[in-house]
Amino acid sequence: MVTKVDKDKCIGCGLCESICKDVFVLKNGKAQVKAQKNIPCVQEAIDGCPVNAISK
Ligand code: F3S
C-alpha cells in the first residue's frame, strides 16, 4: 500500500492532516504524505477528502 496525494487535485482543505496527522502534512497549501502508515485514519482521509485527491 502506497498512500499518495494528487497535488493537482488537492485544494488544501486540511481535513486529511486534521484527522490523520501521522501521515499527512500541509506544505505550501497542499497536502503531502510524510510517512507511509497502515492505520485506519488513512481510509478516513480518503473517504473525507472533498476532491478525492488521496489514493492508496
Ligand atoms: Fe487536500 Fe484533500 Fe487533504 S483537499 S488537504 S488532500 S483532505
Side-chain angles (χ1 to χ4, degrees):
M1 182 191 94
V2 179
T3 305
K4 292 180 190 163
V5 173
D6 183 334
K7 284 191 165 54
D8 293 330
K9 286 188 185 172
C10 175
I11 56 170
C13 80
L15 181 139
C16 54
E17 184 186 59
S18 66
I19 65 174
C20 204
K21 63 180 168 47
D22 287 347
V23 172
F24 302 99
V25 63
L26 253 68
K27 279 232 169 96
N28 300 318
K30 301 280 181 176
Q32 59 182 234
V33 176
K34 70 175 184 182
Q36 295 291 337
K37 290 190 182 177
N38 192 6
I39 50 179
C41 65
V42 173
Q43 188 61 50
E44 290 172 25
I46 290 170
D47 293 342
C49 175
V51 293
N52 293 316
I54 308 169
S55 61
K56 71 172 182 184

